[in-house]
Amino acid sequence: MASSFAPPPSRKGRGATANLESRFSAWHRESDETRHESDMAQECEVKFVTQVAVENARTIISRNTSPDIPFDRSINPYRGCEHGCTYCFARPTHAYLGLSPGLDFETRLYAKLNAAERLDAELRKRGYQPSLLALGANTDPYQPIEREYRITRSILEVLERFGHPVGITTKSALVTRDIDILSRMAERGLARVFISVGTLDAKIARKMEPRANTPARRIEAIRRLTAAGIPTGVIVAPIVPALTDFDIERVLSTAAEAGATYAAYVMLRLPLEVHDIFVAWLEEHYPLRARHVISLIEQVRDGKHNSSEFGTRMKGTGLHAQLIRQRFHLAARKLGLNQARPPLRNDQFKVPAPDHPQSAHRSRHAPRADSQMPRTEKSRTDDAAADANPQMRLF
């Protein structure tokens, strides 16, 4: 899938303001201002339509050895994410595909249609030991195209059949579609869901997460999940100093009222290309506040704009980070959050008889031909390990 280029002005419904070069790019691209002015005169706008390529994954379970996250394996059904969150730490992974972490990340997506088939095969391997498997560690498993492709649901069907524990992190209310599976798994101690809500301010969320569900819909998802008996928590993420940090207590109290029993938070991180994407977005939408936001980011990152050290990368350091930590824990304690968190069970794992044809996973959950043809093109095969970058903490 070839990368494209957009002039600097932001695109409606997209998070990144441009298609900046990746750290691997051998070429430097500049906007053709003459063409841009001509397009403006003719009221012509370059539109970025979402395109989905089918990927035939060789492996599906990604492994990690990070000491500051509570899981060592994860599955990412998709590469790229249509939510378009400006701060998404997964954006740099698109550079490995020769694409831009900017608009390409939001519009050039890859769907692993054989994910359930590969998962079934990997869980059947001799010597496999079950442990918490994270969905949503990199890109969102319930991003908009999941409504059509249903890959995440097919993965849950396999995990339920094997009795394998799963933890889900998402900012989409689409997770409630799978309440039937998740409630059965929760009864067996096999499922837990975290909903990411960085702010309840719909205007900020709309600009920062243009194609994600509104905060109100995410809170309603918490309500529906807990009503179905599924252990559910809220992640206040990311906390952006001087932009969303005012909302910490309100997010926690609203989520607790909806039934959330767990809570966590993640400080804004700006690794690699994410830095330039976020700063450009900040200056575009909040020009009078940008300098103050960047100043506070430097205060929680030891004078830098990002830090990748294990143990501090999620929370930050310094006085401002300490104040946010105290505010979060005080509010969580008052609301009765994080009082108990029993681990998910591994003793339910059992390899079933292979009486389900694996090819059925692909055909049953692939999109209809009439909806697939305009949006999908053939893609090369890539190893699932290439997108193992689980920096969003599943608590």
Side-chain angles (χ1 to χ4, degrees):
M1 226 187 285
S3 178
S4 52
F5 178 70
S10 60
R11 294 287 178 266
K12 183 178 181 180
R14 300 298 180 184
T17 59
N19 233 11
L20 81 171
E21 297 87 358
S22 77
R23 58 195 181 281
F24 302 127
S25 294
W27 300 89
H28 175 71
R29 297 171 293 185
E30 295 183 359
S31 175
D32 185 344
E33 296 299 336
T34 304
R35 173 62 184 273
H36 181 49
E37 292 174 2
S38 175
D39 288 345
M40 292 286 287
Q42 299 178 46
E43 298 184 354
C44 175
E45 179 183 6
V46 178
K47 294 186 177 181
F48 283 76
V49 179
T50 300
Q51 299 180 37
V52 183
V54 173
E55 176 178 341
N56 188 35
R58 291 197 298 262
T59 61
I60 198 62
I61 298 179
S62 299
R63 306 278 180 163
N64 78 87
T65 57
S66 301
D68 58 350
I69 54 177
F71 56 87
D72 63 1
R73 65 202 70 180
S74 60
I75 292 179
N76 295 296
Y78 304 99
R79 295 185 194 270
C81 186
E82 198 174 6
H83 281 158
C85 303
T86 58
Y87 52 77
C88 182
F89 57 78
R91 284 181 178 273
T93 61
H94 241 46
Y96 294 115
L97 305 176
L99 297 172
S100 169
L103 287 164
D104 282 347
F105 178 79
E106 309 169 32
T107 59
R108 308 292 191 265
L109 311 180
Y110 292 78
K112 303 174 185 178
L113 290 188
N114 67 334
E117 176 186 345
R118 295 309 312 147
L119 177 60
D120 186 287
E122 292 179 35
L123 295 183
R124 290 181 184 277
K125 288 183 178 179
R126 186 183 299 274
Y128 178 84
Q129 296 297 317
S131 184
L132 173 65
L133 192 151
L135 279 173
N138 206 37
T139 57
D140 200 308
Y142 285 101
Q143 60 178 285
I145 60 172
E146 166 62 17
R147 188 171 279 105
E148 176 182 349
Y149 286 86
R150 301 171 68 85
I151 300 174
T152 298
R153 183 174 177 87
S154 70
I155 289 171
L156 291 178
E157 290 172 346
V158 174
L159 295 175
E160 180 186 21
R161 195 165 67 252
F162 277 80
H164 196 292
V166 63
I168 299 173
T169 302
T170 180
K171 54 171 55 70
S172 174
L174 183 58
V175 65
T176 59
R177 178 202 62 188
D178 296 334
I179 279 180
D180 56 335
I181 300 176
L182 292 171
S183 59
R184 292 194 300 267
M185 295 184 72
E187 288 179 359
R188 300 168 60 188
L190 296 175
R192 182 177 295 146
V193 178
F194 276 84
I195 303 295
S196 175
V197 184
T199 178
L200 294 180
D201 189 314
K203 291 183 179 180
I204 294 177
R206 176 79 172 177
K207 295 176 182 178
M208 194 161 55
E209 308 157 339
R211 298 205 175 189
N213 285 151
T214 63
R217 288 197 63 190
R218 294 180 229 175
I219 295 298
E220 180 58 27
I222 293 176
R223 195 181 311 277
R224 292 186 59 187
L225 291 167
T226 55
I230 302 165
T232 307
V234 63
I235 299 183
V236 187
I239 293 178
V240 184
L243 188 62
T244 66
D245 55 354
F246 73 94
D247 231 359
I248 295 174
E249 291 82 0
R250 195 161 65 112
V251 170
L252 292 176
S253 61
T254 306
E257 182 183 351
T261 53
Y262 317 117
Y265 77 94
V266 178
M267 187 70 71
L268 175 70
R269 301 184 63 231
L270 301 175
L272 302 172
E273 293 93 346
V274 181
H275 172 269
D276 291 346
I277 292 170
F278 181 81
V279 171
W281 171 87
L282 187 64
E283 292 175 344
E284 171 87 14
H285 293 282
Y286 297 97
L288 300 181
R289 208 183 304 187
R291 181 178 296 182
H292 184 43
V293 172
I294 295 300
S295 173
L296 289 177
I297 290 174
E298 292 173 348
Q299 290 183 39
V300 301
R301 297 297 180 189
D302 294 326
K304 300 175 291 184
H305 289 173
N306 185 60
S307 58
S308 57
E309 292 79 10
F310 292 132
T312 61
R313 58 179 181 161
M314 302 293 184
K315 303 293 188 269
T317 58
L319 179 59
H320 192 74
Q322 183 180 353
L323 290 174
I324 288 178
R325 187 179 305 114
Q326 291 175 350
R327 286 175 56 194
F328 174 86
H329 288 299
L330 179 61
R333 186 166 59 250
K334 286 183 176 180
L335 295 166
L337 297 169
N338 296 331
Q339 296 301 305
R341 191 179 306 179
L344 298 180
R345 298 177 62 178
N346 295 322
D347 60 341
Q348 297 280 310
F349 183 79
K350 183 178 181 181
V351 178
D355 56 351
H356 296 266
Q358 297 309 307
S359 59
H361 290 302
R362 185 195 300 262
S363 61
R364 189 188 328 142
H365 298 285
R368 298 186 306 274
D370 60 344
S371 63
Q372 179 179 352
M373 292 304 293
R375 303 181 64 192
T376 309
E377 60 186 55
K378 189 76 173 172
S379 171
R380 62 183 176 275
T381 302
D382 287 285
D383 196 296
D387 63 356
N389 185 21
Q391 297 171 359
M392 174 64 78
R393 187 167 181 175
L394 181 67
F395 294 80

